[in-house]
Structure formats: C-alpha cells, structure tokens
Amino acid sequence: QLACPLDLGCHSVGGATQEQICEALKILNDDPQVNAILVNIFGGIMRCDVMAYGIVAAAKSVSLRVPLVIRLKGTNYEEGKRICEQSGMRLIPADDLDSAAQKAVVMANIVKLANAVDMKVQFEIPI
C-alpha cells in the first residue's frame, strides 16, 4: 500500500536539490510506518545522473533503516544507473515502474514481518 507519495521534481525550475532529496529521505526514514522507499525518477528537465548523485549522497548521510528501491528513466538514465551501481550503497535497482513497485512491496513485507516479531532485518544487495 502506497503510504507516502513524494514528488521531488519541479518542472518550472528543473528539479530538487541534493538538500531537498536528503530531507525527503530523512522524513521517510524517520517514519516508523514506512517499511521501504521507492524512488521513481523520470528525468526530463531534471537529468537522471544529477538526481542519482543526490539520492546517493542523501542515502549515505541518512543511514537508511529500510530498503531503497530506485528506478531511473529519462535523460542520462544510463549514467544515473551507473552512479547508483558504483556508489557502494545497497540500492535495489529496477528497470521499470512495475518491477520497482513489486520489489518495494516485497521488501516492505519482509520488513513488516520482521518487525512483527521484534527482529531487525539488514539487506545485503550485491554491488
């Protein structure tokens, strides 16, 4: 169930800043009802590589407690994907929105089940 839709883009000014992305991830990460985060970037005016740098920097500074699924599509998405893959972060990549949503739901269910029995879950995603 989608609990917190978030639009980081702003077509009139070209998108979110790294600080805005960081603040958005902090808000979601601090919410105990959030069990996974799905970042869906459709880069038109805002390039996917620029957004990827912001997401990686924000994820590193926030110390995420839940899985982060990321889907990039649009301008410079190949470079954005490379940035995420080479970041050293355990981001869960998705090639399209359907698979991104499916992965986010599966990850959220795992976290929810673990929380129900007071078990902490850590995710190891191959880099």
Side-chain angles (χ1 to χ4, degrees):
Q1 177 181 7
L2 179 62
C4 186
L6 177 65
D7 184 355
L8 294 174
C10 179
H11 299 291
S12 63
V13 295
T17 66
Q18 184 172 315
E19 293 79 19
Q20 289 169 322
I21 296 168
C22 187
E23 188 59 30
L25 285 181
K26 282 181 186 175
I27 291 168
L28 293 172
N29 194 54
D30 290 344
D31 186 336
Q33 293 184 324
V34 172
N35 294 319
I37 298 172
L38 167 58
V39 176
N40 178 45
I41 303 297
F42 182 78
I45 295 172
M46 188 62 181
R47 298 180 350 230
C48 289
D49 56 328
V50 173
M51 291 298 287
Y53 278 122
I55 291 164
V56 167
K60 286 181 178 179
S61 72
V62 169
S63 189
L64 291 174
R65 64 171 185 79
V66 296
L68 176 63
V69 178
I70 183 166
R71 182 259 187 168
L72 300 170
K73 190 69 174 177
T75 306
N76 291 353
Y77 82 92
E78 296 96 347
E79 179 66 9
K81 188 174 179 180
R82 184 194 63 75
I83 290 163
C84 291
E85 289 170 349
Q86 296 179 357
S87 69
M89 297 294 298
R90 304 244 182 239
L91 306 175
I92 302 167
D95 291 326
D96 59 57
L97 186 54
D98 286 339
S99 67
Q102 289 171 355
K103 289 178 180 185
V105 168
V106 168
M107 294 288 104
N109 285 335
I110 291 169
V111 171
K112 186 176 180 179
L113 289 169
N115 288 341
V117 294
D118 294 324
M119 182 184 294
K120 183 178 179 181
V121 181
Q122 292 183 332
F123 293 89
E124 292 294 324
I125 292 107
I127 296 178

